[in-house]
């Protein structure tokens, strides 16, 4: 016959684990404190409108996850890009990607190596990244895209309608 001390110890353990489980359940039941956040900074919004104005025949996508642009086999490879986001993706009307557009600001200072790694990753998947530290003029932006499309298609004539 088991001693009362063993039974009390078992009951105490059961009670302890029941209280622990109840406490954990209470923690997960707390409401999340979530807050709205703008999709883009004021500077990114300015660049978005510049892209739309300068290239009305293109579709401009903002804040696109790399995982929507590239894929790889294996979690280790996907983990290298799954939390990265492109500032803008410039697409044709058929939604074929023309270029990735990155707007560099003060936050990129000292992060040149990481930016090069991001660009190399996108290049490996067949994308071209255009980086701007300052806002280009509409004409310069169109010229950059023209040059890119001419290189891509080997076409000498204007690739974008005037």
């Amino acid at each position: 016959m088991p001693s009362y001390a063993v039974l009390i110890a078992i009951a105490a353990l059961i009670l302890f684990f029941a209280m622990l489980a109840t406490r954990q359940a209470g923690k997960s039941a707390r409401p999340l404190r979530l807050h709205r956040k703008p999709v883009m900074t004021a500077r990114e919004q300015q660049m978005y409108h510049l892209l739309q104005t300068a290239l009305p025949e293109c579709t401009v996508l903002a804040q696109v996850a790399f995982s929507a642009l590239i894929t790889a086999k294996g979690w280790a490879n996907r983990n290298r890009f799954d939390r990265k986001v492109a500032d803008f993706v410039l697409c044709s009307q058929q939604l074929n990607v023309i270029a990735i557009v990155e707007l560099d600001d003060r936050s990129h200072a000292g992060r040149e190596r990481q930016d090069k790694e991001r660009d190399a990753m996108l290049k490996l998947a067949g994308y071209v990244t255009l980086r701007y530290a300052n806002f280009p003029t509409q004409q310069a932006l169109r010229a950059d895209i023209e040059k890119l499309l001419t290189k891509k298609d080997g076409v000498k004539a204007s690739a974008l309608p005037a």
Side-chain angles (χ1 to χ4, degrees), residues 75-89:
W75 285 107
N77 289 324
R78 284 194 294 274
N79 282 340
R80 294 177 63 192
F81 61 81
D82 72 344
R83 288 172 299 280
K84 294 182 182 350
V85 175
D87 289 339
F88 306 99
V89 176

Side-chain angles (χ1 to χ4, degrees), residues 1 19 23 31 61 64 97 106 111 131-132 145 149:
M1 180 191 267
M19 287 175 33
R23 194 172 183 197
L61 306 175
V64 178
V97 175
R106 291 186 311 240
R111 297 184 45 89
R131 285 192 173 274
Y132 296 99
I145 299 301
L149 290 173

Side-chain angles (χ1 to χ4, degrees), residues 52-118:
Q52 283 191 313
T53 304
L55 303 160
E57 64 281 8
C58 296
T59 299
V60 181
L61 306 175
Q63 303 298 315
V64 178
F66 274 33
S67 60
L69 297 166
I70 57 180
T71 189
K73 290 186 179 181
W75 285 107
N77 289 324
R78 284 194 294 274
N79 282 340
R80 294 177 63 192
F81 61 81
D82 72 344
R83 288 172 299 280
K84 294 182 182 350
V85 175
D87 289 339
F88 306 99
V89 176
L90 191 62
C91 298
S92 67
Q93 289 179 344
Q94 297 76 30
L95 296 179
N96 295 316
V97 175
I98 297 169
I100 310 300
V101 179
E102 290 290 330
L103 180 60
D104 293 348
D105 58 11
R106 291 186 311 240
S107 70
H108 287 260
R111 297 184 45 89
E112 291 81 8
R113 183 180 59 77
Q114 289 95 328
D115 287 344
K116 283 184 182 183
E117 287 174 3
R118 288 168 57 98

Side-chain angles (χ1 to χ4, degrees), residues 9 70 75 128 135 146 152:
I70 57 180
W75 285 107
V128 173
F135 296 110
E146 284 283 349
K152 218 181 236 186

